[in-house]
Amino acid sequence: DESNLATIDTPKFHSADESVQLPAFGIMKRYDFCRSVLSQLDEGTVSFSSKVVHVEDFGDRVEVEFEDGTKVEGSILVAADGVNSRIREQILPTDETKMKWSGYRLSYGLTDHKPLLDASVEIPEPGKMFVIYGPKSYQLMCNMEKTESIYWACYELIPEPGSRKWTPQPPMEECRDRLLANLEATSGGRYSPKFTEPIRHTGTLVETTHWLAPAYERFHEGRIVLMGDAAHKTMPFTGQGLNMACEDSLVLATVLAENFDAATGEFRPSTDFDEVFSEYYRIRGEFTKGTQENANRLGQFQLPPSRIFQWVRNLGICFLEITGLGQKLADRASATAESKVTGPTIERVERYQRAGCE
């Protein structure tokens, strides 16, 4: 009896001529993404282990000081230093950057097919997303067939870190045991091994706690501009963090290139960076706010703190499963997202090309 298990066929995005179909849900390993980006850069472009301790905007240039005492200067500074951005704290008022505890912990991992096959464990079907709902947690799982791996994630309701009810994170093996025990308690021990064994066979288990970030009314101050999680930290329920950062880079590169003189290798003397970065925010600000709000709402639905709302959620999920409306809603949401994303993205890529960014 897996009555609190929801199964959804993964919707697909289609190219305009229907020649290409891509899953609307996919996972890329962070290592693979970073390696792909680094491969496009000249050796020595990226400096590792360089912790920023201070930035200074002099009006006509920006200076960055690193922990080892070295300093570098540039015309502008693009700060992509993540959720806990120190540069954001420096350029935006403290009240604007203060985060609130979300109530959620996320544990996740990637499990190769091989150890599961070697152990004669059934692998979840590809092209589907499996979601298991419990009273204090929910888990999703997806077979990433092309990379021959299983992606799984578990969200839990926990007390705020550092509070009286908070308990420090135990060693990884104890975390693994806790996740398996949660699944067993949720199902009464009835779940198929295909939902438990990927957790047991994951080599590296990652756990993160999450805080709610405010939606900022601007992404810049002077010649310093934010992008990615530093600009719009989003809860992981929609899996949009990396996608949003990529769109940021496309838009920001475009508005900068439109004010760059390729012949001199410098920005035009008439460039008003306040206008440039305001244009970047005009394009990205409302969209990122909406994505943050949608992620928060999805989290409240997936893992509500109230038992009453959990009962309503489970009842609704059962109804959607029995009637097939769940799949129809997923397909409709995919089609709506495709229509909203494809057109604007094509326009931005065309503007990017006209600006000579390539």
Side-chain angles (χ1 to χ4, degrees), residues 101-141:
W101 172 236
S102 71
Y104 305 115
R105 171 171 57 202
L106 167 62
S107 307
Y108 62 94
L110 277 170
T111 308
D112 291 337
H113 284 180
K114 188 177 185 307
L116 299 175
L117 295 172
D118 289 346
S120 299
V121 174
E122 179 187 2
I123 292 177
E125 301 91 319
K128 296 181 182 293
M129 187 189 306
F130 302 91
V131 186
I132 299 170
Y133 292 92
K136 290 188 177 181
S137 66
Y138 87 93
Q139 176 184 322
L140 62 86
M141 187 171 292

mmCIF file of all heavy atoms in Angstrom, residues 101-141:
data_model
loop_
_atom_site.group_PDB
_atom_site.id
_atom_site.type_symbol
_atom_site.label_atom_id
_atom_site.label_comp_id
_atom_site.label_asym_id
_atom_site.label_seq_id
_atom_site.Cartn_x
_atom_site.Cartn_y
_atom_site.Cartn_z
ATOM 1 N N TRP A 101 14.091 32.192 9.153
ATOM 2 C CA TRP A 101 14.145 30.736 9.138
ATOM 3 C C TRP A 101 12.928 30.175 8.398
ATOM 4 O O TRP A 101 11.794 30.565 8.640
ATOM 5 C CB TRP A 101 14.206 30.203 10.559
ATOM 6 C CG TRP A 101 14.078 28.710 10.678
ATOM 7 C CD1 TRP A 101 13.163 28.025 11.408
ATOM 8 C CD2 TRP A 101 14.907 27.734 10.040
ATOM 9 N NE1 TRP A 101 13.366 26.675 11.268
ATOM 10 C CE2 TRP A 101 14.431 26.465 10.426
ATOM 11 C CE3 TRP A 101 15.992 27.805 9.163
ATOM 12 C CZ2 TRP A 101 15.011 25.279 9.988
ATOM 13 C CZ3 TRP A 101 16.569 26.630 8.721
ATOM 14 C CH2 TRP A 101 16.077 25.397 9.130
ATOM 15 N N SER A 102 13.178 29.229 7.484
ATOM 16 C CA SER A 102 12.113 28.666 6.661
ATOM 17 C C SER A 102 11.404 27.491 7.319
ATOM 18 O O SER A 102 10.235 27.209 7.019
ATOM 19 C CB SER A 102 12.688 28.190 5.323
ATOM 20 O OG SER A 102 13.491 27.025 5.508
ATOM 21 N N GLY A 103 12.119 26.767 8.192
ATOM 22 C CA GLY A 103 11.558 25.565 8.800
ATOM 23 C C GLY A 103 11.980 24.285 8.109
ATOM 24 O O GLY A 103 11.608 23.190 8.538
ATOM 25 N N TYR A 104 12.770 24.393 7.027
ATOM 26 C CA TYR A 104 13.068 23.224 6.213
ATOM 27 C C TYR A 104 14.549 22.833 6.230
ATOM 28 O O TYR A 104 15.441 23.687 6.223
ATOM 29 C CB TYR A 104 12.683 23.472 4.750
ATOM 30 C CG TYR A 104 11.255 23.882 4.550
ATOM 31 C CD1 TYR A 104 10.936 25.142 4.060
ATOM 32 C CD2 TYR A 104 10.217 23.014 4.856
ATOM 33 C CE1 TYR A 104 9.622 25.533 3.867
ATOM 34 C CE2 TYR A 104 8.898 23.387 4.670
ATOM 35 C CZ TYR A 104 8.604 24.653 4.183
ATOM 36 O OH TYR A 104 7.299 25.024 4.004
ATOM 37 N N ARG A 105 14.760 21.524 6.193
ATOM 38 C CA ARG A 105 16.085 20.968 5.919
ATOM 39 C C ARG A 105 15.964 20.118 4.661
ATOM 40 O O ARG A 105 14.998 19.381 4.472
ATOM 41 C CB ARG A 105 16.573 20.095 7.079
ATOM 42 C CG ARG A 105 17.851 19.305 6.748
ATOM 43 C CD ARG A 105 18.440 18.634 7.977
ATOM 44 N NE ARG A 105 17.487 17.751 8.631
ATOM 45 C CZ ARG A 105 17.577 17.375 9.914
ATOM 46 N NH1 ARG A 105 18.562 17.836 10.667
ATOM 47 N NH2 ARG A 105 16.678 16.564 10.441
ATOM 48 N N LEU A 106 16.948 20.218 3.794
ATOM 49 C CA LEU A 106 16.973 19.430 2.565
ATOM 50 C C LEU A 106 18.152 18.472 2.600
ATOM 51 O O LEU A 106 19.290 18.883 2.849
ATOM 52 C CB LEU A 106 17.090 20.354 1.349
ATOM 53 C CG LEU A 106 17.426 19.686 0.006
ATOM 54 C CD1 LEU A 106 16.336 18.702 -0.395
ATOM 55 C CD2 LEU A 106 17.654 20.734 -1.084
ATOM 56 N N SER A 107 17.875 17.202 2.383
ATOM 57 C CA SER A 107 18.915 16.185 2.227
ATOM 58 C C SER A 107 18.771 15.616 0.823
ATOM 59 O O SER A 107 17.648 15.358 0.369
ATOM 60 C CB SER A 107 18.743 15.063 3.255
ATOM 61 O OG SER A 107 18.659 15.570 4.565
ATOM 62 N N TYR A 108 19.889 15.418 0.138
ATOM 63 C CA TYR A 108 19.774 14.905 -1.226
ATOM 64 C C TYR A 108 21.037 14.161 -1.636
ATOM 65 O O TYR A 108 22.083 14.244 -0.979
ATOM 66 C CB TYR A 108 19.487 16.037 -2.211
ATOM 67 C CG TYR A 108 20.560 17.097 -2.317
ATOM 68 C CD1 TYR A 108 21.553 17.024 -3.286
ATOM 69 C CD2 TYR A 108 20.576 18.196 -1.449
ATOM 70 C CE1 TYR A 108 22.526 18.005 -3.391
ATOM 71 C CE2 TYR A 108 21.534 19.179 -1.544
ATOM 72 C CZ TYR A 108 22.511 19.083 -2.515
ATOM 73 O OH TYR A 108 23.466 20.050 -2.607
ATOM 74 N N GLY A 109 20.922 13.432 -2.740
ATOM 75 C CA GLY A 109 22.068 12.686 -3.235
ATOM 76 C C GLY A 109 21.819 12.166 -4.634
ATOM 77 O O GLY A 109 20.699 12.174 -5.145
ATOM 78 N N LEU A 110 22.891 11.733 -5.272
ATOM 79 C CA LEU A 110 22.840 11.074 -6.577
ATOM 80 C C LEU A 110 23.403 9.676 -6.406
ATOM 81 O O LEU A 110 24.504 9.505 -5.868
ATOM 82 C CB LEU A 110 23.656 11.848 -7.610
ATOM 83 C CG LEU A 110 22.992 13.030 -8.304
ATOM 84 C CD1 LEU A 110 24.020 13.819 -9.104
ATOM 85 C CD2 LEU A 110 21.878 12.572 -9.221
ATOM 86 N N THR A 111 22.669 8.681 -6.858
ATOM 87 C CA THR A 111 23.086 7.299 -6.710
ATOM 88 C C THR A 111 23.256 6.672 -8.086
ATOM 89 O O THR A 111 22.333 6.701 -8.905
ATOM 90 C CB THR A 111 22.039 6.488 -5.923
ATOM 91 O OG1 THR A 111 21.734 7.171 -4.703
ATOM 92 C CG2 THR A 111 22.550 5.101 -5.603
ATOM 93 N N ASP A 112 24.430 6.133 -8.357
ATOM 94 C CA ASP A 112 24.665 5.465 -9.635
ATOM 95 C C ASP A 112 23.804 4.217 -9.755
ATOM 96 O O ASP A 112 23.517 3.538 -8.764
ATOM 97 C CB ASP A 112 26.144 5.077 -9.764
ATOM 98 C CG ASP A 112 27.046 6.293 -9.909
ATOM 99 O OD1 ASP A 112 26.553 7.350 -10.337
ATOM 100 O OD2 ASP A 112 28.255 6.179 -9.586
ATOM 101 N N HIS A 113 23.425 3.889 -10.983
ATOM 102 C CA HIS A 113 22.646 2.673 -11.215
ATOM 103 C C HIS A 113 23.412 1.410 -10.838
ATOM 104 O O HIS A 113 22.816 0.442 -10.349
ATOM 105 C CB HIS A 113 22.268 2.578 -12.703
ATOM 106 C CG HIS A 113 21.171 3.497 -13.108
ATOM 107 N ND1 HIS A 113 20.694 3.572 -14.394
ATOM 108 C CD2 HIS A 113 20.426 4.391 -12.399
ATOM 109 C CE1 HIS A 113 19.721 4.459 -14.465
ATOM 110 N NE2 HIS A 113 19.545 4.974 -13.272
ATOM 111 N N LYS A 114 24.734 1.404 -11.066
ATOM 112 C CA LYS A 114 25.499 0.158 -10.963
ATOM 113 C C LYS A 114 25.378 -0.540 -9.615
ATOM 114 O O LYS A 114 25.067 -1.744 -9.570
ATOM 115 C CB LYS A 114 26.970 0.408 -11.294
ATOM 116 C CG LYS A 114 27.803 -0.879 -11.398
ATOM 117 C CD LYS A 114 29.231 -0.592 -11.784
ATOM 118 C CE LYS A 114 29.985 -1.886 -12.005
ATOM 119 N NZ LYS A 114 29.910 -2.838 -10.887
ATOM 120 N N PRO A 115 25.608 0.157 -8.466
ATOM 121 C CA PRO A 115 25.478 -0.568 -7.193
ATOM 122 C C PRO A 115 24.076 -1.097 -6.942
ATOM 123 O O PRO A 115 23.909 -2.127 -6.282
ATOM 124 C CB PRO A 115 25.882 0.475 -6.147
ATOM 125 C CG PRO A 115 25.743 1.792 -6.807
ATOM 126 C CD PRO A 115 26.046 1.546 -8.255
ATOM 127 N N LEU A 116 23.056 -0.419 -7.479
ATOM 128 C CA LEU A 116 21.686 -0.901 -7.325
ATOM 129 C C LEU A 116 21.460 -2.159 -8.154
ATOM 130 O O LEU A 116 20.862 -3.131 -7.687
ATOM 131 C CB LEU A 116 20.695 0.195 -7.734
ATOM 132 C CG LEU A 116 20.751 1.487 -6.927
ATOM 133 C CD1 LEU A 116 19.811 2.528 -7.527
ATOM 134 C CD2 LEU A 116 20.387 1.245 -5.472
ATOM 135 N N LEU A 117 21.968 -2.140 -9.393
ATOM 136 C CA LEU A 117 21.833 -3.315 -10.246
ATOM 137 C C LEU A 117 22.630 -4.484 -9.694
ATOM 138 O O LEU A 117 22.182 -5.635 -9.742
ATOM 139 C CB LEU A 117 22.288 -2.975 -11.666
ATOM 140 C CG LEU A 117 21.431 -1.938 -12.415
ATOM 141 C CD1 LEU A 117 22.084 -1.550 -13.733
ATOM 142 C CD2 LEU A 117 20.026 -2.479 -12.654
ATOM 143 N N ASP A 118 23.817 -4.187 -9.149
ATOM 144 C CA ASP A 118 24.642 -5.254 -8.565
ATOM 145 C C ASP A 118 23.936 -5.905 -7.381
ATOM 146 O O ASP A 118 24.139 -7.094 -7.101
ATOM 147 C CB ASP A 118 25.998 -4.700 -8.115
ATOM 148 C CG ASP A 118 26.893 -4.327 -9.296
ATOM 149 O OD1 ASP A 118 26.572 -4.746 -10.427
ATOM 150 O OD2 ASP A 118 27.888 -3.602 -9.079
ATOM 151 N N ALA A 119 23.110 -5.104 -6.673
ATOM 152 C CA ALA A 119 22.375 -5.627 -5.516
ATOM 153 C C ALA A 119 20.999 -6.151 -5.908
ATOM 154 O O ALA A 119 20.176 -6.451 -5.035
ATOM 155 C CB ALA A 119 22.243 -4.538 -4.454
ATOM 156 N N SER A 120 20.756 -6.240 -7.236
ATOM 157 C CA SER A 120 19.476 -6.738 -7.768
ATOM 158 C C SER A 120 18.290 -5.914 -7.272
ATOM 159 O O SER A 120 17.219 -6.439 -6.978
ATOM 160 C CB SER A 120 19.282 -8.217 -7.384
ATOM 161 O OG SER A 120 20.319 -9.009 -7.922
ATOM 162 N N VAL A 121 18.501 -4.593 -7.175
ATOM 163 C CA VAL A 121 17.438 -3.690 -6.754
ATOM 164 C C VAL A 121 16.739 -3.124 -7.982
ATOM 165 O O VAL A 121 17.387 -2.692 -8.941
ATOM 166 C CB VAL A 121 18.007 -2.533 -5.896
ATOM 167 C CG1 VAL A 121 16.914 -1.512 -5.583
ATOM 168 C CG2 VAL A 121 18.612 -3.069 -4.614
ATOM 169 N N GLU A 122 15.420 -3.130 -7.967
ATOM 170 C CA GLU A 122 14.647 -2.545 -9.054
ATOM 171 C C GLU A 122 14.881 -1.041 -9.089
ATOM 172 O O GLU A 122 14.844 -0.360 -8.056
ATOM 173 C CB GLU A 122 13.156 -2.833 -8.852
ATOM 174 C CG GLU A 122 12.276 -2.247 -9.936
ATOM 175 C CD GLU A 122 10.797 -2.404 -9.634
ATOM 176 O OE1 GLU A 122 10.466 -2.950 -8.548
ATOM 177 O OE2 GLU A 122 9.972 -1.982 -10.462
ATOM 178 N N ILE A 123 15.115 -0.511 -10.276
ATOM 179 C CA ILE A 123 15.369 0.915 -10.436
ATOM 180 C C ILE A 123 14.063 1.623 -10.812
ATOM 181 O O ILE A 123 13.305 1.114 -11.640
ATOM 182 C CB ILE A 123 16.438 1.146 -11.524
ATOM 183 C CG1 ILE A 123 17.796 0.636 -11.037
ATOM 184 C CG2 ILE A 123 16.543 2.620 -11.897
ATOM 185 C CD1 ILE A 123 18.890 0.745 -12.058
ATOM 186 N N PRO A 124 13.781 2.772 -10.204
ATOM 187 C CA PRO A 124 12.560 3.508 -10.562
ATOM 188 C C PRO A 124 12.479 3.765 -12.064
ATOM 189 O O PRO A 124 13.497 4.010 -12.714
ATOM 190 C CB PRO A 124 12.689 4.815 -9.779
ATOM 191 C CG PRO A 124 13.580 4.479 -8.628
ATOM 192 C CD PRO A 124 14.547 3.464 -9.150
ATOM 193 N N GLU A 125 11.275 3.714 -12.609
ATOM 194 C CA GLU A 125 11.104 3.896 -14.033
ATOM 195 C C GLU A 125 11.566 5.281 -14.472
ATOM 196 O O GLU A 125 11.308 6.269 -13.802
ATOM 197 C CB GLU A 125 9.625 3.719 -14.416
ATOM 198 C CG GLU A 125 9.044 2.366 -14.063
ATOM 199 C CD GLU A 125 8.421 2.337 -12.681
ATOM 200 O OE1 GLU A 125 8.997 2.923 -11.744
ATOM 201 O OE2 GLU A 125 7.346 1.724 -12.541
ATOM 202 N N PRO A 126 12.237 5.380 -15.626
ATOM 203 C CA PRO A 126 12.638 6.695 -16.145
ATOM 204 C C PRO A 126 11.424 7.453 -16.660
ATOM 205 O O PRO A 126 10.369 6.870 -16.950
ATOM 206 C CB PRO A 126 13.599 6.345 -17.286
ATOM 207 C CG PRO A 126 13.179 4.981 -17.722
ATOM 208 C CD PRO A 126 12.699 4.274 -16.483
ATOM 209 N N GLY A 127 11.563 8.771 -16.780
ATOM 210 C CA GLY A 127 10.477 9.577 -17.309
ATOM 211 C C GLY A 127 9.368 9.844 -16.321
ATOM 212 O O GLY A 127 8.306 10.348 -16.687
ATOM 213 N N LYS A 128 9.584 9.484 -15.055
ATOM 214 C CA LYS A 128 8.575 9.714 -14.021
ATOM 215 C C LYS A 128 9.218 10.366 -12.799
ATOM 216 O O LYS A 128 10.400 10.169 -12.527
ATOM 217 C CB LYS A 128 7.916 8.402 -13.593
ATOM 218 C CG LYS A 128 7.119 7.699 -14.688
ATOM 219 C CD LYS A 128 6.491 6.424 -14.159
ATOM 220 C CE LYS A 128 5.732 5.680 -15.253
ATOM 221 N NZ LYS A 128 4.550 6.440 -15.706
ATOM 222 N N MET A 129 8.422 11.126 -12.082
ATOM 223 C CA MET A 129 8.854 11.674 -10.799
ATOM 224 C C MET A 129 7.986 11.059 -9.712
ATOM 225 O O MET A 129 6.766 11.050 -9.814
ATOM 226 C CB MET A 129 8.723 13.197 -10.771
ATOM 227 C CG MET A 129 9.314 13.831 -9.512
ATOM 228 S SD MET A 129 8.921 15.598 -9.377
ATOM 229 C CE MET A 129 9.515 16.200 -10.958
ATOM 230 N N PHE A 130 8.633 10.522 -8.688
ATOM 231 C CA PHE A 130 7.926 9.892 -7.579
ATOM 232 C C PHE A 130 8.034 10.796 -6.353
ATOM 233 O O PHE A 130 9.130 11.241 -5.996
ATOM 234 C CB PHE A 130 8.529 8.514 -7.268
ATOM 235 C CG PHE A 130 8.497 7.571 -8.434
ATOM 236 C CD1 PHE A 130 9.564 7.505 -9.326
ATOM 237 C CD2 PHE A 130 7.397 6.762 -8.657
ATOM 238 C CE1 PHE A 130 9.536 6.642 -10.410
ATOM 239 C CE2 PHE A 130 7.358 5.886 -9.730
ATOM 240 C CZ PHE A 130 8.428 5.826 -10.610
ATOM 241 N N VAL A 131 6.916 11.082 -5.717
ATOM 242 C CA VAL A 131 6.886 11.939 -4.533
ATOM 243 C C VAL A 131 6.175 11.191 -3.410
ATOM 244 O O VAL A 131 5.060 10.701 -3.586
ATOM 245 C CB VAL A 131 6.173 13.276 -4.806
ATOM 246 C CG1 VAL A 131 6.293 14.197 -3.589
ATOM 247 C CG2 VAL A 131 6.742 13.956 -6.042
ATOM 248 N N ILE A 132 6.842 11.087 -2.262
ATOM 249 C CA ILE A 132 6.303 10.380 -1.099
ATOM 250 C C ILE A 132 6.054 11.402 0.005
ATOM 251 O O ILE A 132 6.963 12.135 0.395
ATOM 252 C CB ILE A 132 7.285 9.300 -0.606
ATOM 253 C CG1 ILE A 132 7.518 8.262 -1.716
ATOM 254 C CG2 ILE A 132 6.763 8.628 0.654
ATOM 255 C CD1 ILE A 132 8.643 7.296 -1.415
ATOM 256 N N TYR A 133 4.824 11.435 0.510
ATOM 257 C CA TYR A 133 4.436 12.429 1.509
ATOM 258 C C TYR A 133 4.314 11.789 2.883
ATOM 259 O O TYR A 133 3.652 10.762 3.050
ATOM 260 C CB TYR A 133 3.102 13.070 1.127
ATOM 261 C CG TYR A 133 3.181 13.924 -0.106
ATOM 262 C CD1 TYR A 133 2.907 13.388 -1.363
ATOM 263 C CD2 TYR A 133 3.549 15.255 -0.022
ATOM 264 C CE1 TYR A 133 2.997 14.172 -2.503
ATOM 265 C CE2 TYR A 133 3.641 16.046 -1.155
ATOM 266 C CZ TYR A 133 3.364 15.498 -2.389
ATOM 267 O OH TYR A 133 3.458 16.269 -3.514
ATOM 268 N N GLY A 134 4.951 12.419 3.878
ATOM 269 C CA GLY A 134 4.827 11.989 5.264
ATOM 270 C C GLY A 134 4.406 13.155 6.134
ATOM 271 O O GLY A 134 4.266 14.289 5.660
ATOM 272 N N PRO A 135 4.230 12.932 7.451
ATOM 273 C CA PRO A 135 3.769 14.009 8.340
ATOM 274 C C PRO A 135 4.788 15.123 8.545
ATOM 275 O O PRO A 135 4.418 16.285 8.717
ATOM 276 C CB PRO A 135 3.461 13.284 9.650
ATOM 277 C CG PRO A 135 4.255 12.022 9.579
ATOM 278 C CD PRO A 135 4.310 11.641 8.143
ATOM 279 N N LYS A 136 6.083 14.784 8.544
ATOM 280 C CA LYS A 136 7.103 15.805 8.786
ATOM 281 C C LYS A 136 8.157 15.854 7.693
ATOM 282 O O LYS A 136 9.176 16.514 7.839
ATOM 283 C CB LYS A 136 7.785 15.561 10.138
ATOM 284 C CG LYS A 136 6.887 15.833 11.337
ATOM 285 C CD LYS A 136 7.671 15.755 12.625
ATOM 286 C CE LYS A 136 6.792 16.101 13.823
ATOM 287 N NZ LYS A 136 7.556 16.058 15.087
ATOM 288 N N SER A 137 7.909 15.147 6.600
ATOM 289 C CA SER A 137 8.873 15.139 5.515
ATOM 290 C C SER A 137 8.194 14.712 4.220
ATOM 291 O O SER A 137 7.106 14.156 4.231
ATOM 292 C CB SER A 137 10.026 14.167 5.831
ATOM 293 O OG SER A 137 9.553 12.829 5.864
ATOM 294 N N TYR A 138 8.837 15.036 3.129
ATOM 295 C CA TYR A 138 8.419 14.446 1.865
ATOM 296 C C TYR A 138 9.663 14.229 1.013
ATOM 297 O O TYR A 138 10.662 14.939 1.129
ATOM 298 C CB TYR A 138 7.364 15.278 1.152
ATOM 299 C CG TYR A 138 7.865 16.382 0.257
ATOM 300 C CD1 TYR A 138 8.079 16.162 -1.102
ATOM 301 C CD2 TYR A 138 8.095 17.660 0.752
ATOM 302 C CE1 TYR A 138 8.517 17.174 -1.932
ATOM 303 C CE2 TYR A 138 8.525 18.675 -0.064
ATOM 304 C CZ TYR A 138 8.737 18.422 -1.408
ATOM 305 O OH TYR A 138 9.173 19.433 -2.217
ATOM 306 N N GLN A 139 9.590 13.209 0.175
ATOM 307 C CA GLN A 139 10.750 12.812 -0.607
ATOM 308 C C GLN A 139 10.356 12.729 -2.076
ATOM 309 O O GLN A 139 9.263 12.277 -2.417
ATOM 310 C CB GLN A 139 11.261 11.445 -0.155
ATOM 311 C CG GLN A 139 12.418 10.913 -0.996
ATOM 312 C CD GLN A 139 12.833 9.518 -0.573
ATOM 313 O OE1 GLN A 139 12.840 9.211 0.606
ATOM 314 N NE2 GLN A 139 13.164 8.679 -1.539
ATOM 315 N N LEU A 140 11.261 13.182 -2.939
ATOM 316 C CA LEU A 140 11.041 12.996 -4.364
ATOM 317 C C LEU A 140 12.212 12.215 -4.943
ATOM 318 O O LEU A 140 13.324 12.250 -4.416
ATOM 319 C CB LEU A 140 10.845 14.330 -5.090
ATOM 320 C CG LEU A 140 11.978 15.358 -5.107
ATOM 321 C CD1 LEU A 140 12.953 15.097 -6.239
ATOM 322 C CD2 LEU A 140 11.391 16.758 -5.251
ATOM 323 N N MET A 141 11.944 11.506 -6.020
ATOM 324 C CA MET A 141 12.951 10.664 -6.644
ATOM 325 C C MET A 141 12.725 10.644 -8.142
ATOM 326 O O MET A 141 11.593 10.624 -8.610
ATOM 327 C CB MET A 141 12.883 9.245 -6.059
ATOM 328 C CG MET A 141 13.990 8.320 -6.519
ATOM 329 S SD MET A 141 13.989 6.770 -5.575
ATOM 330 C CE MET A 141 14.484 7.354 -3.949
#
